[in-house]
Amino acid sequence: MIVQPVTLNSRLLMGARWAVLFIAVVVLNFPILATVLTSFKSTADINAYPPKWLFTPTLDHYYEVLFTGNTNFVSYIWNSVVIASGGTLLAIVLTFPAAYAIARYKTGAAWLLPIVSNLRALPLIIFAIPFYFMYQSVGLLDTKLGLALIACIINIPLALLMLVGFMQDIPAELDEAGRLDGASTLQVLYHIIWPASRPILFAVAILSFIYSWNEFLFGLILATKSAVPVTVGATFFVTSYGVKWGATAAAMMLGVFPPMLLGFFAYPYIGKSMLRGAVKG
């Protein structure tokens, strides 16, 4: 094997590439960077002009958000955990057998998938008013169950599309082998398809949880006190008397940290699952 010598020009070229990449990362993530810095600045540093880039960091805003503010921010975080977990679990339970029926028996494949995909493409605001009146009539307004059902509905299209694509890759011979051993359809689904689908189920669960966590519109319209999610609670520091920039930034960082952390650690897993479907397509 011939090893090419590292020349000065190649080093300069590599350095230029890293410099461009670094600048692009900073520019693209500047809003996040600005929010992080604001959350650690004192109120005086936030209001300073020109803006301060070097300052003494403080946790006062985080302390205010979690312990001394007029809002119950910890309960908002808990509400989001319950809503996102419930919506994710319901979406998987409902879409898993549906995806199997579509992948194996083509049940509704010609019309169900296009309808579901188109529903996900519509702006969610057109569903807000009907859901408000329906929830009002059945007592689901301002409940975590009501918002979990909304999260489930939002997640179903993505979950169904991903699961159908994955199950079409599972050899049908596995089903036939199970039936030859006397297994029913439910037993095949539980003992063969479910274990084989764990990688994509994990990816679907992570994406569904993140989408449910980040949902804002229905939380704003359907929750007022008991079921307020963290995305809506973070806006409570914008008052009629002014904007508490430091507390708002701290609330936003606390709100985005769980899904960001989850996405960071699950990205390789999700990437492999998505790439597998893309290669198949």
Side-chain angles (χ1 to χ4, degrees):
M1 184 175 66
I2 300 175
V3 178
Q4 297 291 337
V6 179
T7 64
L8 179 61
N9 288 337
S10 63
R11 288 182 177 178
L12 290 175
L13 181 60
M14 184 61 70
R17 287 175 179 172
W18 277 106
V20 171
L21 180 63
F22 177 77
I23 294 172
V25 169
V26 171
V27 170
L28 292 175
N29 292 281
F30 183 77
I32 299 176
L33 181 63
T35 304
V36 173
L37 293 178
T38 303
S39 70
F40 288 107
K41 285 182 177 180
S42 66
T43 302
D45 289 335
I46 294 173
N47 295 322
Y49 186 83
K52 283 187 175 181
W53 295 102
L54 297 176
F55 55 89
T56 303
T58 176
L59 294 176
D60 288 349
H61 300 304
Y62 286 92
Y63 188 81
E64 177 187 357
V65 169
L66 291 174
F67 304 112
T68 63
N70 295 324
T71 62
N72 193 356
F73 200 78
V74 176
S75 70
Y76 303 155
I77 295 176
W78 174 245
N79 290 342
S80 286
V81 171
V82 175
I83 293 167
S85 301
T88 299
L89 182 62
L90 284 173
I92 290 178
V93 168
L94 292 175
T95 55
F96 185 74
Y100 179 74
I102 294 173
R104 284 290 187 267
Y105 304 107
K106 309 300 179 187
T107 305
W111 53 271
L112 183 58
L113 284 178
I115 290 177
V116 169
S117 301
N118 288 331
L119 284 176
R120 188 63 182 87
L122 293 174
L124 296 177
I125 187 66
I126 67 171
F127 301 107
I129 295 177
F131 268 109
Y132 181 87
F133 287 113
M134 283 193 295
Y135 273 30
Q136 189 178 43
S137 63
V138 297
L140 283 176
L141 277 181
D142 200 21
T143 64
K144 290 186 276 294
L145 174 60
L147 290 179
L149 292 174
I150 293 290
C152 170
I153 294 171
I154 292 174
N155 289 325
I156 279 178
L158 176 66
L160 191 61
L161 290 173
M162 291 181 67
L163 286 175
V164 168
F166 185 84
M167 287 184 184
Q168 287 174 341
D169 281 347
I170 300 177
E173 288 77 10
L174 291 178
D175 301 30
E176 296 170 2
R179 289 196 174 85
L180 288 176
D181 291 336
S184 65
T185 301
L186 286 178
Q187 288 173 325
V188 169
L189 196 62
Y190 181 73
H191 293 290
I192 298 176
I193 305 301
W194 179 270
S197 302
R198 280 176 184 167
I200 193 67
L201 286 171
F202 181 73
V204 169
I206 295 297
L207 289 175
S208 298
F209 186 89
I210 291 174
Y211 289 162
S212 301
W213 185 281
N214 292 334
E215 206 288 316
F216 175 79
L217 177 65
F218 287 101
L220 179 66
I221 295 175
L222 303 179
T224 55
K225 184 178 180 181
S226 300
V228 173
V230 68
T231 50
V232 177
T235 67
F236 289 172
F237 297 95
V238 181
T239 68
S240 57
Y241 301 101
V243 180
K244 294 183 175 180
W245 293 111
T248 302
M252 289 180 177
M253 292 312 303
L254 290 171
V256 302
F257 184 73
M260 185 181 294
L261 189 66
L262 198 59
F264 178 78
F265 285 108
Y267 176 75
Y269 210 67
I270 296 173
K272 289 179 182 178
S273 300
M274 300 292 285
L275 185 60
R276 185 173 182 174
V279 171
K280 177 183 177 296

